[in-house]
Amino acid sequence: MPKPKKPYHHGDLKNALIQAAIEILASEGAGGLSLRKAARRAGVSHAAPYAHFADKQALIAAVSTEGYRRLHARILAANARYPGDPLRRLIEGAWAYAAFALEDPDHFRVTLSGVVAREQDYPELTQATAASFGLVVQIVAECQAAGLLRAAPPDLMTVSIWSAVHGLVSLALEGQLSHIILERYTLRRLLIQTLGEFIQCEIPRRLYATPRG
Amino acid sequence: MPKPKKPYHHGDLKNALIQAAIEILASEGAGGLSLRKAARRAGVSHAAPYAHFADKQALIAAVSTEGYRRLHARILAANARYPGDPLRRLIEGAWAYAAFALEDPDHFRVTLSGVVAREQDYPELTQATAASFGLVVQIVAECQAAGLLRAAPPDLMTVSIWSAVHGLVSLALEGQLSHIILERYTLRRLLIQTLGEFIQCEIPRRLYATPRG
DNA sequence: ACCTGAACACCGTTCAAGT
DNA sequence: ACCTGAACACCGTTCAAGT
C-alpha cells in the first residue's frame, strides 16, 4: 500500500469514474458517454468529477490510457504463449490488437482516436503509448533477426506494420470494408494476408483459423 | 438542369447545410459541429434542417459522402497526372489520400470514421465508397500487371494497401506516432517506406520529396 | 412543401457553499 | 480535500402552427 488514502466518503472516485466511463462505452457506445452519466453511475453529483478531472477530455485521456494498458497486456500475453516463435508472436500480437477492437469497439475507438492535445497534458497516456510501441518494436526486431522481416530500422518497420494492422482493424470496425469482401473473408484472414506482404516466408495455412471465439 | 426546383425562400437549404457543416469542421473541428450551428450559418431556424435530414447522423452521412467524393476526385487527378506510370499512380494516389487528411483533418475524420449504421440507410454514401474502392482496385491491378505488386486477388491486395495507407495517415493525424519518429521522417517518407514493403522494386529516391506544399 | 417558435430533456462547466 | 446544488449557455429532437 503506497498511500493509505481514504477520502471523504467515496473510496476512490477517480478510478470509479474511469471504470464507469468504460462501462458506459460498452453498453451505450461512444455517443452515450457523458461526465454527468459517469458521475451518476459512480453515485456522486454531476459536479464531483471536476475534483478529479479538469474536464471531459481529461476523463477521456484516462480512459484512453487504460485502453493502451489493456492492449499492452493482451499483446504481452500473446507473446508469452509463443516463446521462441517470432512469426507466431507477430501474428498473434496483431490478432490481440484486433480482438480488443472486436470485443470492446468503443473503448478501442476512444483509445486510438487521439485526444488531440495529448502529449503535453497527459504524461501517463504518453507513457502507455510509448510502452506499447516499444513492445511491438521488440517483436519486430526479433522477426528481423530471424529473417522474417526485411532489414530496416526497427522503429520504421514497426510504424509500417502497426499502420497496416491499425488501418485494417479501423476500416473493418467503421464498416468501411465492403460487405462483399467481409462476406468472403474473415478479419483474421485479411489480417494474415496483409501481414503476409511484409513477411518474407510462407505462412502456414493452419494459422488462418480464428482462435477460441 | 435536371430539376428546376426553386423552393420556399432558400435556394437549396440541403446543400447549404452540408457546406455549412464542412466549413464548421474546418474552422472549429469535429467537436464544434452541431445541427443548430449549421442552421444558423445557413440563416434558418434551428428546426429547419429537419425538413431535409432525419437527424444529425443523416447530415453527417451527407458530409461523409461529400468527403468520399473529394477523395475520389483527388486520386483521379493524381492518376491523370501520370499516364502509363502505375508506380507513380500508386504513390501519388496514396499521397492524395494523405493530403486530404492533412488539409482538412476534421472532414477526413468524419468521412472515414464510419456513420455506423451506414450501408442500409445512406445509399449515396455506399455508392461513393464503392466508387473510390473501385478506383484503387484499378490502380492496384495495373501495378500487378506491371509486376510491381505480387499476384493476388486485386480486391484483397487493395484492402491490404488501403489499410496500410489509412492506418498510417490516421495514426499520424491522431498524434499516435511518437514525436521522435515524426521529427526524423516526413509523413511522405513514412508513406513511401510503407508502400515499399508492398512494391517489388526499388523506389527512386527523388519521390521522397514532398510535392508543392 | 418548407419553415418558425416554444418546449423538453439532456449536456459541459462554473461557483458559492457546505463538511 | 472533497463534494453538493443552483445556475448558465449550449445541445438534439418534437410538435403545433404558420405561409
Side-chain angles (χ1 to χ4, degrees), chain A residues 168-183:
Chain A
L168 179 63
V169 170
S170 298
L171 290 172
L173 209 61
E174 306 304 341
Q176 309 278 12
L177 256 34
S178 87
H179 263 213
I180 305 127
I181 285 174
L182 282 178
E183 273 161 17

Side-chain angles (χ1 to χ4, degrees), chain B residues 8 13 45-47 52:
Chain B
Y8 201 49
L13 182 54
S45 81
H46 65 261
H52 301 276

Side-chain angles (χ1 to χ4, degrees), chain A residues 4-75:
Chain A
K5 83 169 167 184
K6 264 264 145 18
Y8 201 48
H9 80 270
H10 194 294
D12 182 359
L13 182 54
K14 182 166 182 171
N15 279 304
L17 287 168
I18 296 173
Q19 288 315 310
I22 292 174
E23 286 166 27
I24 293 170
L25 284 177
S27 63
E28 305 181 45
L33 178 57
S34 73
L35 267 183
R36 292 173 99 111
K37 218 179 284 185
R40 225 173 295 146
R41 194 180 271 255
V44 293
S45 82
H46 64 261
Y50 287 88
H52 300 277
F53 297 101
D55 51 22
K56 192 182 180 185
Q57 280 263 312
L59 173 60
I60 291 179
V63 168
S64 181
T65 303
E66 173 61 18
Y68 260 109
R69 288 185 182 141
R70 293 191 185 180
L71 220 36
H72 188 88
R74 278 172 183 262
I75 297 173

Side-chain angles (χ1 to χ4, degrees), chain B residues 77-95:
Chain B
N79 231 17
R81 230 173 280 129
Y82 304 99
D85 187 347
L87 173 65
R88 206 71 200 271
R89 281 183 161 182
L90 181 66
I91 290 175
E92 302 305 340
W95 180 246

